[in-house]
Every structure is written in structure tokens, then in C-alpha cells.
């Protein structure tokens, strides 16, 4: 029989997992799924704060503590560390829900690509929880893999995002090819391209609004640059 404590832990972990999934997909989308730009982010002050986050460091210390106490048969220490991990999940989940309620949490723009990635990621989380229940792990063995996956979230979600890149590149190239052929049919068409890391969509909209006062203007929809 599945204990209520394991169900409670699973719910907490899924909330924290959803937070990490949304954030890392948001960051990859912000960096336009470019590995170099994504890695460059960790050279910034904000990026370094992600790597040296107090939450992450605490989770790594708890993982090491659980592993060592299990090896040294320090049962009481191990159980206390497991409860500490559950408390960390609870606090982090509460802060996440609060930020969502206040509209302050950064999340990706929902496109077909992000929808597929988010669906795959959350389905993987549910499958992991289901597998742990099927294996009938003890409390410690149940929490340890969840905590490990949480600590390695940036790697797990980056692999998930990059796994879809080959398909995304093929589809993007098809669209770009179709656009080139379409545009080639308009010999006198003046084309304006906006490049850069930030502000492309806003600049595009400003230009379209200004030029439409005198010319017939077409622009790409929303953020589809």
C-alpha cells in the first residue's frame, strides 16, 4: 500500500520539478536554443547565482550526507537528512507557488516547440514517480533519486531541450526555404531584418507601426522572428 507520506513527497517534488522545468526551458528559449549563448549566461552575475545557489548547495550537502550516513549505518542521521530534504522541497515549492500567484515567475512563451518539451518533461517526472512507487522503495531510497535529479536539473532539462534541436532545425530550415522562395517572387520588395540578442520583437513592431503610416507592411507574427 502506498503511504500518504510518499504521496505528499511526490506532490512537493512535482511542484519543484515544474518550477525547474519552466525556468530552464524559459532560459533556453531566451538564448534562442544556442548552446554558446546559454553557457555564456553562467559567466554573468545572474548565471553565477544559479550555479552557486544556496538551495542547490544545500541539496548537494544533503545528498552527500545521506550517502555517507547510509554507508556508515548512521540511521538516525540519515532519516533526519531525508526529513530536511522534504522540508527544503516544501519551502522551495511554497516560494514558487507564491511567485506564480504574484505573477513574478519567469516562464517560457508557449509555442509548439516549448509545448512539446514541457509535455515531455512533465510526463518524464510522472513516469519517474510511478517507477519509484512500483519499486516500493523505502523513504530514503524514494527521496534520494528525486533529490539527485533536482540537483542535476540544469543537465537533465538541457539534454531534454537539445534532444529536440535536430527536429527543430529541420522544420526551421523548411520554413526559411519557403520564405525565401515566396520573397523571391516580389522583385521590388524592401526587406528589413532586425538582429541582436534583445529587443528584436519590439523593434520589429515599432518599425511596422511607423512604416505602415505610408507603406503596405508585412511583419512576422508575435515573437516569431
Amino acid at each position: 500500500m502506498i503511504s500518504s507520506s510518499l504521496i505528499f513527497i511526490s506532490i512537493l517534488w512535482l511542484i519543484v520539478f515544474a518550477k525547474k522545468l519552466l525556468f530552464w526551458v524559459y532560459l533556453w528559449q531566451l538564448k534562442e536554443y544556442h548552446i554558446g549563448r546559454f553557457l555564456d549566461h553562467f559567466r554573468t552575475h545572474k548565471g553565477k547565482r544559479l550555479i552557486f545557489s544556496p538551495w542547490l548547495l544545500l541539496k548537494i550537502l544533503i545528498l552527500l550526507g545521506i550517502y555517507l550516513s547510509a554507508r556508515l549505518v548512521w540511521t538516525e542521521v540519515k532519516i533526519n537528512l531525508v526529513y530536511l530534504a522534504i522540508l527544503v522541497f516544501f519551502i522551495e515549492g511554497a516560494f514558487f507557488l507564491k511567485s506564480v500567484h504574484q505573477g513574478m515567475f519567469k516562464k517560457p512563451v508557449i509555442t509548439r516547440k516549448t509545448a512539446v518539451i514541457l509535455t515531455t518533461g512533465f510526463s518524464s517526472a510522472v513516469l519517474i514517480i510511478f517507477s519509484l512507487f512500483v519499486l516500493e522503495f523505502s523513504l530514503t531510497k524514494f527521496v534520494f533519486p528525486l533529490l539527485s535529479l533536482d540537483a542535476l536539473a540544469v543537465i537533465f532539462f538541457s539534454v531534454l531541450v537539445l534532444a529536440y534541436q535536430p527536429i527543430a532545425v529541420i522544420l526551421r530550415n523548411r520554413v526559411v526555404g519557403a520564405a525565401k522562395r515566396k520573397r523571391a517572387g516580389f522583385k521590388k520588395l524592401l526587406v528589413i531584418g532586425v538582429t541582436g540578442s534583445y529587443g528584436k520583437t519590439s523593434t520589429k513592431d515599432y518599425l511596422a507601426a511607423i512604416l505602415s503610416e505610408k507603406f503596405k507592411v508585412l511583419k512576422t507574427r508575435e515573437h516569431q522572428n
Side-chain angles (χ1 to χ4, degrees):
M1 183 177 178
I2 299 173
S3 70
S4 56
S5 61
L6 295 185
I7 294 175
F8 177 68
I9 294 167
S10 299
I11 294 172
L12 290 179
W13 182 77
L14 285 172
I15 292 172
V16 175
F17 184 94
K19 169 197 170 185
K20 299 288 180 67
L21 175 62
L22 288 168
F23 175 77
W24 289 114
V25 173
Y26 155 80
L27 188 59
W28 270 105
Q29 187 183 55
L30 184 66
K31 302 304 178 182
E32 299 178 337
Y33 306 101
H34 191 286
I35 296 177
R37 293 177 186 173
F38 182 79
L39 294 177
D40 282 343
H41 181 74
F42 296 102
R43 296 189 179 98
T44 67
H45 178 65
K46 288 184 178 180
K48 290 176 181 177
R49 284 176 58 188
L50 291 173
I51 296 296
F52 300 104
S53 161
W55 289 110
L56 179 59
L57 294 176
L58 178 58
K59 289 171 183 175
I60 292 173
L61 289 175
I62 293 173
L63 278 170
L64 291 173
I66 293 175
Y67 175 77
L68 291 175
S69 58
R71 298 280 292 182
L72 298 172
V73 200
W74 294 345
T75 306
E76 187 174 345
V77 173
K78 180 178 66 177
I79 293 298
N80 288 335
L81 287 172
V82 168
Y83 286 134
L84 178 59
I86 297 170
L87 178 62
V88 170
F89 282 146
F90 178 81
I91 295 173
E92 191 174 4
F95 276 119
F96 166 57
L97 294 177
K98 180 182 177 181
S99 66
V100 171
H101 177 70
Q102 295 175 340
M104 297 174 61
F105 183 74
K106 294 179 179 179
K107 56 186 181 297
V109 176
I110 300 300
T111 62
R112 282 182 294 181
K113 181 175 181 177
T114 56
V116 170
I117 293 172
L118 293 173
T119 300
T120 303
F122 202 76
S123 298
S124 300
V126 173
L127 182 61
I128 290 168
I129 292 292
F130 178 77
S131 300
L132 294 178
F133 278 128
V134 169
L135 293 171
E136 297 183 346
F137 279 166
S138 63
L139 181 62
T140 302
K141 290 184 178 180
F142 191 89
V143 170
F144 191 84
L146 298 181
L147 189 60
S148 301
L149 185 58
D150 182 84
L152 298 172
V154 60
I155 298 174
F156 178 80
F157 295 131
S158 294
V159 170
L160 178 64
V161 168
L162 293 175
Y164 283 100
Q165 275 306 93
I167 299 174
V169 169
I170 291 172
L171 295 176
R172 183 185 64 194
N173 289 341
R174 288 178 59 185
V175 172
V176 169
K180 286 181 178 178
R181 291 189 295 273
K182 182 78 173 181
R183 203 169 68 187
F186 299 88
K187 301 301 181 182
K188 295 183 179 180
L189 182 67
L190 174 63
V191 179
I192 298 175
V194 182
T195 65
S197 299
Y198 300 97
K200 293 186 296 296
T201 300
S202 298
T203 304
K204 171 200 71 180
D205 290 336
Y206 296 152
L207 284 172
I210 293 169
L211 295 173
S212 61
E213 293 293 321
K214 186 177 179 180
F215 304 101
K216 292 181 180 180
V217 177
L218 292 175
K219 64 173 183 176
T220 52
R221 292 184 299 174
E222 301 172 345
H223 66 284
Q224 297 174 7
N225 296 325

